[in-house]
């Protein structure tokens, strides 16, 4: 099975001024494409050829894991952003209150975790099997789907995500990214994990 580039659900200039068209052109159009191309090359002629992306991520190691997980993480990341953010749905607001005390406290914890990640990686808001929300930090291509968590939201903390727009100012990137989070998608992911029944 050949893995294809995911469709971007918005135009490359739709996230301005919070994320530039140039960043999306490189991040989506080049970094993600490279991971997809590498994934297709690495699975050719191997038993991984017939597996779904999630299965590859959960079974592979080394270079294949890195490229497959980066494909999965980026699809999820771009699908977490929207040019038209809606107010936070009540179910998300209540869940963040229950797990972090307040939305503002969650925001601070997410920022602190993202600032504190040394080098490249991902910071995730996830739900555990009891539908408790927590933040996990994963270096490099790390992903919560190998650990039984349901991912709800992610921050790509690789420099390639922010260097064009913000140079080395990771904090500025995090402020801008907060404006683009699609809380409606977060609510849908909670519902998909059946976490809406707990709040
Ligand atoms: Mn990235």
């Amino acid at each position: 099975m050949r893995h294809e580039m995911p469709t971007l659900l918005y135009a490359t200039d739709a996230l301005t001024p919070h994320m530039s068209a140039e960043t999306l052109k490189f991040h989506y159009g080049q970094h993600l494409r490279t991971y997809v191309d590498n994934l297709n090359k690495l699975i050719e002629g191997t038993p991984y050829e017939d597996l779904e992306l999630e299965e590859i991520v959960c079974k592979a190691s080394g270079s294949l894991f890195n490229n497959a997980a980066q494909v999965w993480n980026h699809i999820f990341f771009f699908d977490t952003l929207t040019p038209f953010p809606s107010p936070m749905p009540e179910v998300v607001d209540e869940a963040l209150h229950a797990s972090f005390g307040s939305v503002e406290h969650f925001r601070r914890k997410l920022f602190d975790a993202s600032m504190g990640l040394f080098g490249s990686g991902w910071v995730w808001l996830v739900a555990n099997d009891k539908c408790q929300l927590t933040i996990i930090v994963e270096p490099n291509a790390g992903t919560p789907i190998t650990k039984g968590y349901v991912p709800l939201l992610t921050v790509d903390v690789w420099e390639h995500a922010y260097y064009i727009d913000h140079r080395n100012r990771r904090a500025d990137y995090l402020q801008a990214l907060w404006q683009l989070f699609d809380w409606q998608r977060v609510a849908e992911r909670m519902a998909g994990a059946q976490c809406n029944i707990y709040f």
Side-chain angles (χ1 to χ4, degrees):
M1 185 176 84
R2 216 183 145 68
H3 296 270
E4 305 290 342
M5 279 287 281
T7 306
L8 202 56
L9 297 174
Y10 36 83
T12 49
D13 62 356
L15 303 184
T16 53
H18 307 298
M19 187 179 286
S20 70
E22 192 185 0
T23 284
L24 272 169
K25 213 173 103 191
F26 278 85
H27 196 184
Y28 169 81
Q30 298 202 22
H31 286 282
L32 175 53
R33 181 172 294 280
T34 301
Y35 293 129
V36 171
D37 290 347
N38 287 343
L39 168 64
N40 282 323
K41 269 182 229 149
L42 287 165
I43 60 172
E44 213 176 293
T46 77
Y48 290 102
E49 213 169 24
D50 302 320
L51 299 186
E52 298 291 333
L53 180 58
E54 287 79 0
E55 290 178 287
I56 298 175
V57 172
C58 291
K59 285 183 181 168
S61 58
S63 181
L64 179 55
F65 168 80
N66 286 336
N67 283 281
Q70 283 295 79
V71 171
W72 195 93
N73 291 350
H74 280 92
I75 293 171
F76 187 92
F77 173 72
F78 291 119
D79 191 32
T80 301
L81 309 181
T82 176
F84 309 111
S86 54
M88 188 177 284
E90 211 174 309
V91 64
V92 178
D93 189 279
E94 284 175 19
L96 292 176
H97 269 87
S99 299
F100 299 99
S102 70
V103 174
E104 186 49 39
H105 197 218
F106 159 70
R107 177 179 166 150
R108 222 174 309 140
K109 285 195 101 163
L110 188 77
F111 277 34
D112 288 349
S114 302
M115 289 303 292
L117 196 163
F118 184 79
S120 297
W122 299 82
V123 174
W124 301 84
L125 173 68
V126 299
N128 66 15
D129 56 359
K130 296 183 181 68
C131 284
Q132 291 157 333
L133 271 44
T134 184
I135 290 170
I136 63 168
V137 177
E138 292 285 335
N140 303 313
T143 183
I145 63 170
T146 59
K147 298 173 179 173
Y149 291 115
V150 176
L152 302 176
L153 175 143
T154 193
V155 178
D156 184 341
V157 195
W158 285 59
E159 276 188 350
H160 68 224
Y162 60 87
Y163 219 82
I164 291 172
D165 288 350
H166 305 285
R167 300 301 176 207
N168 58 335
R169 299 183 302 277
R170 188 185 286 184
D172 290 358
Y173 160 65
L174 299 173
Q175 296 286 355
L177 195 66
W178 182 265
Q179 311 299 321
L180 297 171
F181 284 142
D182 187 348
W183 298 109
Q184 201 58 51
R185 288 293 289 130
V186 174
E188 286 163 19
R189 289 163 179 164
M190 286 176 61
Q194 300 195 317
C195 286
N196 51 336
I197 57 173
Y198 290 87
F199 298 103

